[in-house]
């Protein structure tokens, strides 16, 4: 019984609070450390890329970005072909993937019968889980011949005399090239964009939607005036996630882009992307300048990704600034 | 107490055993490099392990990687499809020797053309890769193949997208037969290709040529055979049209002057001889002259010696070409002269 006064002397809740304070500090420290670790890794990557790329950057300067030469024999390197290929394939991918993903997400959350939702959602998640090399092999062995035999000849015939499209849809119909790479990328990023969009659409409060319907709004009006404004951060985030993946995708692109250091306006011509060039040439790159030029390409990709993410931030900031006006 | 004592004793014994095995006999040889000879090396290694218990750990990371690894001394030997120049070898204190040979073979995918039927000569071949001859029924090709029904279709050129020893051998050939190629493109493991699409690895080129109609590419002999590809007959230095066969690759090697090639730097392309296949190449092994780990270096030499002596049949089964005996003799003589450990040569002079 003598224990009771002792306990009362050092009240339990004080002890608890002390332990709690320590736990809090510890937890704060650990989470903070984890966050700093991410920053440290990013900065570390940037610094090591910069150090590796330094010889090439010193030799070629800004001309590295604008030169379309890539010649291991004369050690003359430029990033333009790879940058062009990276941006064009990603652009094609986004042009196709964004509307399709939007459609899928909308259908699953708003329009689909209840029994169909789960199968479609599962299918999307399965698509996201397929390794990129499988897409590459499928692209090379199944998709490229299909493009070469049916799609490309038809497109070439159809658009031959159309002014602008005619010069874009040009090149040898061999099924391997920038266009096919863009299509494969589209298929690869659709599950990512769709999954994010679906999840954000699902959190729109039912009350908001039902109120709009009650006011006589059509489904499209609800989507445009209620769902999209409510979820725009998530939607933009999903698109950026897809774009980030498209820019950096390596294996699938390497299989179907044709790996040729040439820039052609025609989308059927073979081209090259930054990631594909790195995957192809890094193992056998001997000589300091060659390796350095490849690392410089990696640095360029890093910067492009950074710019894309910053633009997304800016876009979101402008969107939220317009709110309430 | 007793248990801990036993444990300690066991650990001690285990440690002793490990030390003992390391100093007495090397149980594993480490190598890294070229992908092209990998199937041959691994077949030899598996037979050698059955016989002696010594394991070869060979990482096929590419010739460039192999050179880097041996320079960093992380492996006992490196392997490269392109020989290093004598100056390069001296800089790092390395020596090299040829281990196995192979041929590079042009392959085509043109409807109606059977393996070995299409004939090409050097200048025409170079012009196709320069992008100057763009159609299969070009007069230059037709002239070499009178009576053959060649389609009026655009040629799609396929080349390697990665740097490779195969490309090194191939561009060596093109540079020898075409001044234009030599001055405009050059000779290296990766070049700025004037035209075409790039496939990764021999397999990549083989599958592109298989996929794309009216294409032409170049692959290692083994890949052409195993994928049942339509190979081409080439005109050699003596003016004969030759087929890519093991016999013709060996003919090219036999005519090479290994004795007077410092550091075995010998390029077997465009060699004289009635039967010589013009795009032949050897794959090389790189080792340090002053072995930091003499036991491992010696174990590696023993493996190479065994493979030279017993590996011919296995190599031929995989469509590689074994080194001629006179070259092997020369190589082993060089071992005893050049590779030294703390106590002198690691290989006995014969």
């Amino acid at each position: 019984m003598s224990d009771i006064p002792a306990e009362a002397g050092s009240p339990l809740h004080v002890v608890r609070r002390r332990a709690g304070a320590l736990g809090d500090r510890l937890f704060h420290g650990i989470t903070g450390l984890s966050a700093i670790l991410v920053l440290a890794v990013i900065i570390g990557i940037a610094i090591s890329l910069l150090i590796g790329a330094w010889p090439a950057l010193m030799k070629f300067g800004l001309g590295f970005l604008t030169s379309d030469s890539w010649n291991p024999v004369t050690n003359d390197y430029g990033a333009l072909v790879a940058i062009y290929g990276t941006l064009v394939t990603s652009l094609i991918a986004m042009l196709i993937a964004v509307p399709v993903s939007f459609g899928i997400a909308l259908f699953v959350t708003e329009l689909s019968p209840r029994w169909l939702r789960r199968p479609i959602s599962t299918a999307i998640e399965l698509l996201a889980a397929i390794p990129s090399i499988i897409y590459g092999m499928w692209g090379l062995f199944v998709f490229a011949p299909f493009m070469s035999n049916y799609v490309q000849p038809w497109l070439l015939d159809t658009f031959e005399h159309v002014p602008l499209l005619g010069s874009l849809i040009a090149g040898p119909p061999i099924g391997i090239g920038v266009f096919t790479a863009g299509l494969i990328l589209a298929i690869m990023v659709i599950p990512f964009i769709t999954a994010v969009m679906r999840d954000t659409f699902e959190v729109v409060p039912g009350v908001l939607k039902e109120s709009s319907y009650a006011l006589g709004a059509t489904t499209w009006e609800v989507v445009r005036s209620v769902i999209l404004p409510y979820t725009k951060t998530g939607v933009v985030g999903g698109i950026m996630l897809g774009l980030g993946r498209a820019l950096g995708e390596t294996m699938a692109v390497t299989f179907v882009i044709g790996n040729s250091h040439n820039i052609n306006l025609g989308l059927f011509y073979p081209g090259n992307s930054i990631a594909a060039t790195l995957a192809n040439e890094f193992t056998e790159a001997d000589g300091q300048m060659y390796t350095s030029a490849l690392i410089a390409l990696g640095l360029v990709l890093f910067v492009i990704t950074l710019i894309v993410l910053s633009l997304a931030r800016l876009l979101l900031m402008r969107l939220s600034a317009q709110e309430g006006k | 107490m007793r248990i801990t004592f036993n444990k300690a004793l066991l650990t001690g014994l285990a440690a002793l055993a490990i030390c003992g095995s390391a100093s007495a006999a090397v149980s594993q040889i480490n190598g890294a490099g070229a992908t092209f000879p990998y199937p041959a090396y691994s077949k030899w290694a598996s037979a050698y392990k059955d016989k002696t218990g010594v394991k070869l750990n060979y990482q096929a990371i590419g010739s460039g990687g192999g050179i880097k690894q041996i320079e960093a001394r992380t492996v006992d030997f490196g392997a490269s499809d392109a020989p290093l120049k004598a100056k390069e070898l001296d800089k790092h204190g390395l020596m090299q020797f040829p281990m196995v040979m192979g041929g590079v073979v042009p392959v085509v995918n043109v409807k109606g053309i059977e393996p070995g039927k299409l004939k090409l000569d050097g200048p025409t071949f170079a012009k196709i890769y320069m992008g100057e001859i763009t159609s299969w029924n070009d007069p230059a090709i037709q002239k070499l193949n009178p009576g053959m029904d060649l389609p009026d279709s655009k040629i799609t050129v396929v080349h390697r997208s990665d740097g490779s020893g195969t490309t090194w051998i191939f561009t060596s050939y093109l540079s020898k037969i075409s001044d234009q190629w030599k001055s405009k493109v050059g000779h290296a493991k990766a070049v700025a290709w004037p035209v075409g699409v790039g496939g990764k690895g021999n397999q990549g080129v083989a599958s592109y040529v298989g996929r794309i109609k009216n294409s032409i590419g170049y692959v290692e002999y083994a890949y052409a055979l195993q994928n049942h590809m339509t190979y081409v007959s080439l005109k050699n230095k003596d003016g004969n049209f030759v087929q890519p066969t093991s016999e013709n690759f060996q003919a090219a090697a036999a005519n090479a002057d290994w004795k007077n090639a410092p550091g075995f730097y010998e390029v077997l392309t465009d060699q004289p001889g009635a039967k010589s296949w013009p795009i032949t190449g050897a794959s090389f092994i790189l080792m340090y002259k002053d072995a930091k780990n003499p036991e491992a270096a010696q174990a590696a030499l023993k493996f190479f010696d065994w493979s030279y002596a017993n590996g011919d049949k296995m190599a031929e089964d995989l469509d590689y070409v074994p080194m001629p005996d006179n070259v092997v003799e020369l190589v082993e003589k060089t071992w005893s002269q050049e590779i030294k450990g703390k106590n002198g040569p690691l290989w006995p002079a014969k």
Side-chain angles (χ1 to χ4, degrees), chain A residues 140 255 258-260 270 280 284-286, chain B residues 62-64 68 161-163 198 208:
Chain A
L140 178 61
F255 268 76
N259 306 307
S260 159
N280 273 316
E284 289 285 338
D286 26 297
Chain B
S63 302
K68 276 178 202 147
S161 62
D162 47 339
Y208 273 10

Side-chain angles (χ1 to χ4, degrees), chain A residues 8 18 36 43 47 52 77 82 102 110-111 125 142 158-160 168 180 187 194 198 231 242-243 254 275-276 297 303:
Chain A
R18 258 187 226 139
I36 289 168
I43 292 169
I47 290 174
Y77 303 102
F102 180 69
E110 303 299 322
L111 306 168
E125 276 147 25
V142 181
T158 315
F159 292 101
E160 201 182 349
L168 276 180
T180 309
I187 299 170
T194 307
R198 185 201 58 197
T231 59
L243 183 55
T254 309
L297 269 190
V303 172

Side-chain angles (χ1 to χ4, degrees), chain B residues 86 96-98 252-268 271 284 323-334 337-338:
Chain B
Q96 75 184 350
F97 53 89
N255 287 316
D257 184 14
W258 293 99
K259 244 181 200 145
N260 294 316
F264 289 104
Y265 185 92
E266 187 72 325
V267 186
L268 300 177
Q271 292 293 321
F284 294 81
M323 297 308 297
D325 289 342
N326 58 337
V327 182
V328 171
E329 215 170 278
L330 207 61
V331 166
E332 300 206 335
K333 208 172 124 199
T334 321
Q337 287 164 355
E338 294 193 350

